[in-house]
């Protein structure tokens, strides 16, 4: 049962433009949402997160937007750079009870930024 | 500060064998989680340990087990290997596994079962 879904397996964007990666979730109990970036042969690297009580969080070129009513979040990268080319995973966590420490992941979106 | 380390990085085993993978968390981190990554299923949660206790477990058969030592280092074991166990096994560490404790991942162990 995939509680976090990334419906676009790939996205191709020109350098300098905006990249928008989308993520949907089904579990209304999620307290925190995270984005990880993964290069081949490496583990995922934390990028940015957002609490469920907020609707936007910004860190440099990266902004995450959360729409709780739609159970949807998105990651905006502006401007996109070739070094951003990687697989991006959306993840979520319930911050209580028996599921502490467990991240629920989407299946990832391969972002390719071309010059 | 050293990152999460996993050993070995690559492993080739045959069906029916067993395997033990090791994870050393970032110093001071007490929570260690394990994930299996396969092309078809993405990142699937195996289990999480905090202060030597398994706090929660994903939907994997009993052939998958783990433990955590007093220094927070963790091992996972897979017995009676099957072809479908071929995957990248990732461990992640965090201070206490809370939502606001960033989980940092190791590079993974690539297991191939022949």
């Amino acid at each position: 049962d995939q509680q976090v879904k990334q419906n676009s397996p790939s996205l191709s964007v020109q350098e300098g433009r905006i990249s928008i990666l989308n993520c949907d979730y089904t579990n209304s109990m999620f307290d925190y949402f995270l984005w990880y970036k993964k290069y081949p042969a490496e583990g995922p690297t934390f990028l940015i997160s957002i609490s469920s009580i907020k609707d936007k969080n910004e860190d440099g070129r990266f902004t995450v937007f959360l729409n709780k009513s739609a159970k949807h979040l998105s990651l905006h990268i502006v401007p996109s750079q070739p070094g951003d080319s990687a697989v991006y995973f959306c993840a979520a966590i319930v911050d209580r009870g028996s599921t502490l420490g467990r991240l629920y992941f989407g299946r990832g979106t391969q972002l390719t930024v071309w010059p | 500060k050293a990152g999460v380390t996993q050993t070995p990085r690559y492993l080739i085993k045959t069906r029916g064998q067993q395997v033990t993978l090791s994870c050393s968390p970032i110093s001071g981190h007490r929570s260690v989680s394990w994930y299996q990554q396969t092309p078809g299923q993405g990142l699937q949660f195996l289990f999480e340990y905090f202060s030597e206790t398994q706090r929660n477990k994903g939907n994997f058969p009993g052939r998958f087990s783990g433990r955590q030592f007093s220094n927070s280092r963790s091992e996972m074991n897979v017995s009676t290997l099957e072809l479908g166990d071929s995957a990248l096994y990732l461990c992640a560490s965090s201070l206490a596994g809370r939502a606001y404790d960033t989980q940092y991942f190791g590079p993974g162990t690539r297991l191939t079962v022949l």
Side-chain angles (χ1 to χ4, degrees), chain A residues 36 38 43-44 95 98 100-101 103, chain B residues 33 35 37 56 97-99 103 106:
Chain A
Y36 280 83
K38 187 178 184 303
D95 192 32
S98 62
L100 285 174
L103 287 170
Chain B
S33 300
Y35 296 85
Q37 185 185 15
N56 62 90
R98 302 301 301 272
Q103 291 198 24

Side-chain angles (χ1 to χ4, degrees), chain A residues 32 36 38 41-44 46 89 93 95 98-103 105 107, chain B residues 9 33 35 37 40-41 43 45 48 55-56 97-99 102-103 105-107:
Chain A
Y32 236 72
Y36 280 83
K38 187 178 184 303
E42 295 182 13
F46 170 75
F89 289 97
I93 189 168
D95 192 32
S98 62
T99 61
L100 285 174
R102 175 176 183 165
L103 287 170
F105 280 94
R107 293 196 174 161
Chain B
R9 291 292 311 276
S33 300
Y35 296 85
Q37 185 185 15
Q41 297 297 321
L43 279 149
F45 174 76
E48 188 258 1
R55 276 199 299 201
N56 62 90
R98 302 301 301 272
T102 302
Q103 291 198 24
F105 282 82

Side-chain angles (χ1 to χ4, degrees), chain A:
Chain A
D1 174 28
Q2 196 77 15
Q3 300 186 37
V4 176
K5 298 177 186 179
Q6 293 176 259
N7 293 320
S8 299
S10 64
L11 176 67
S12 182
V13 171
Q14 187 176 25
E15 181 179 7
R17 301 282 188 125
I18 183 172
S19 295
I20 300 176
L21 296 98
N22 293 302
C23 178
D24 297 297
Y25 62 96
T26 57
N27 189 345
S28 57
M29 302 286 283
F30 287 139
D31 295 298
Y32 236 72
F33 301 89
L34 309 93
W35 285 93
Y36 280 83
K37 178 170 76 171
K38 187 178 184 303
Y39 294 116
E42 295 182 13
T45 303
F46 170 75
L47 203 53
I48 191 170
S49 64
I50 186 168
S51 165
S52 62
I53 62 173
K54 302 205 168 172
D55 54 20
K56 178 183 175 182
N57 188 28
E58 212 169 335
D59 184 1
R61 296 186 298 113
F62 303 91
T63 303
V64 56
F65 295 92
L66 175 63
N67 181 334
K68 283 188 69 175
S69 60
K71 293 191 174 66
H72 177 82
L73 65 154
S74 60
L75 174 69
H76 292 212
I77 306 174
V78 185
S80 301
Q81 300 173 354
D84 296 329
S85 297
V87 177
Y88 288 77
F89 289 97
C90 173
I93 189 168
V94 177
D95 192 32
R96 55 189 171 276
S98 62
T99 61
L100 285 174
R102 175 176 183 165
L103 287 170
Y104 294 81
F105 280 94
R107 293 196 174 161
T109 297
Q110 170 70 57
L111 173 66
T112 302
V113 181
W114 47 280

Side-chain angles (χ1 to χ4, degrees), chain B residues 10-21 36-38 63-64 76-89 109-114:
Chain B
Y10 301 91
L11 209 46
I12 299 175
K13 293 284 187 179
T14 55
R15 278 183 300 173
Q17 287 187 308
Q18 76 164 22
V19 66
T20 299
L21 312 182
Q36 180 196 64
Q37 185 185 15
T38 57
R63 300 185 296 107
F64 292 81
M76 67 163 281
N77 183 278
V78 188
S79 62
T80 319
L81 284 165
E82 300 177 358
L83 294 179
D85 298 333
S86 294
L88 180 66
Y89 291 88
T109 294
R110 171 71 65 185
L111 172 65
T112 302
V113 182
L114 303 175

